Amino acid sequence: MPQNPLVALAVDYHRAVSAWATGDELARFFHPDALHRELPNALFPDGAVRDLPGILAAADRGREALKDQSFEVVNAVADGDRVALEVVWTGTLARPLGDLPEGHVLRAHIGTFLEFRDGLIVSQRNYDCYEGGAAARVSRSS
């Protein structure tokens, strides 16, 4: 993968999330004005918009919902202060979700679009595509 400094930072950010970074350890990647937009998907049918406190709170909730997770950055493209990543995410449920049992492994193909200001993430948009009918299995029991 090209060693554009913002691509390297985006990959480091995904590694930190995989390692359960929270609080200041996670906040160090974000500009204080950061917004994360998660487009509608199997887990968030209405999508979600989070400011920095919301991003940090979501990381804490993720730690409770998942036993483990990993991000594999498959492709990356940078243009100025913008980075686009193709990512494969895998997460193991720590508790049931809809009719998915504890221990179920979720897998999603994700398009992540990051914008940087002053070397920090100021905007993140995620397009998450879950495998295996996760949307139907989660919404059926919600």
Side-chain angles (χ1 to χ4, degrees), residues 14 70-75 85-89 108-112:
H14 279 78
S70 66
F71 293 85
E72 176 191 358
V73 177
V74 177
N75 200 355
L85 301 174
E86 179 183 0
V87 178
V88 177
W89 172 84
H109 302 268
I110 302 172
T112 299

Side-chain angles (χ1 to χ4, degrees), residues 54-100:
I55 292 166
L56 300 177
D60 289 334
R61 285 191 304 275
R63 260 187 129 149
E64 296 170 7
L66 298 169
K67 290 181 183 179
D68 59 60
Q69 67 176 342
S70 66
F71 293 85
E72 176 191 358
V73 177
V74 177
N75 200 355
V77 178
D79 180 27
D81 288 336
R82 296 176 296 175
V83 173
L85 301 174
E86 179 183 0
V87 178
V88 177
W89 172 84
T90 305
T92 305
L93 293 176
R95 60 180 183 228
L97 177 66
D99 71 348
L100 300 174

Side-chain angles (χ1 to χ4, degrees), residues 10-135:
V11 171
D12 286 346
Y13 159 59
H14 279 78
R15 285 185 186 136
V17 173
S18 288
W20 300 112
T22 58
D24 290 342
E25 187 181 0
L26 182 59
R28 72 182 179 89
F29 291 98
F30 289 95
H31 190 279
D33 297 333
L35 280 181
H36 176 228
R37 291 174 182 87
E38 188 168 351
L39 282 291
N41 62 64
L43 300 183
F44 297 95
D46 296 324
V49 178
R50 300 177 188 93
D51 58 7
L52 184 53
I55 292 166
L56 300 177
D60 289 334
R61 285 191 304 275
R63 260 187 129 149
E64 296 170 7
L66 298 169
K67 290 181 183 179
D68 59 60
Q69 67 176 342
S70 66
F71 293 85
E72 176 191 358
V73 177
V74 177
N75 200 355
V77 178
D79 180 27
D81 288 336
R82 296 176 296 175
V83 173
L85 301 174
E86 179 183 0
V87 178
V88 177
W89 172 84
T90 305
T92 305
L93 293 176
R95 60 180 183 228
L97 177 66
D99 71 348
L100 300 174
E102 176 183 341
H104 182 84
V105 177
L106 292 169
R107 185 173 161 97
H109 302 268
I110 302 172
T112 299
F113 298 85
L114 303 168
E115 293 181 32
F116 291 82
R117 183 185 310 153
D118 303 324
L120 299 170
I121 300 167
V122 71
S123 174
Q124 177 175 350
R125 287 184 324 279
N126 278 47
Y127 299 81
D128 303 353
C129 300
Y130 287 86
E131 289 183 359

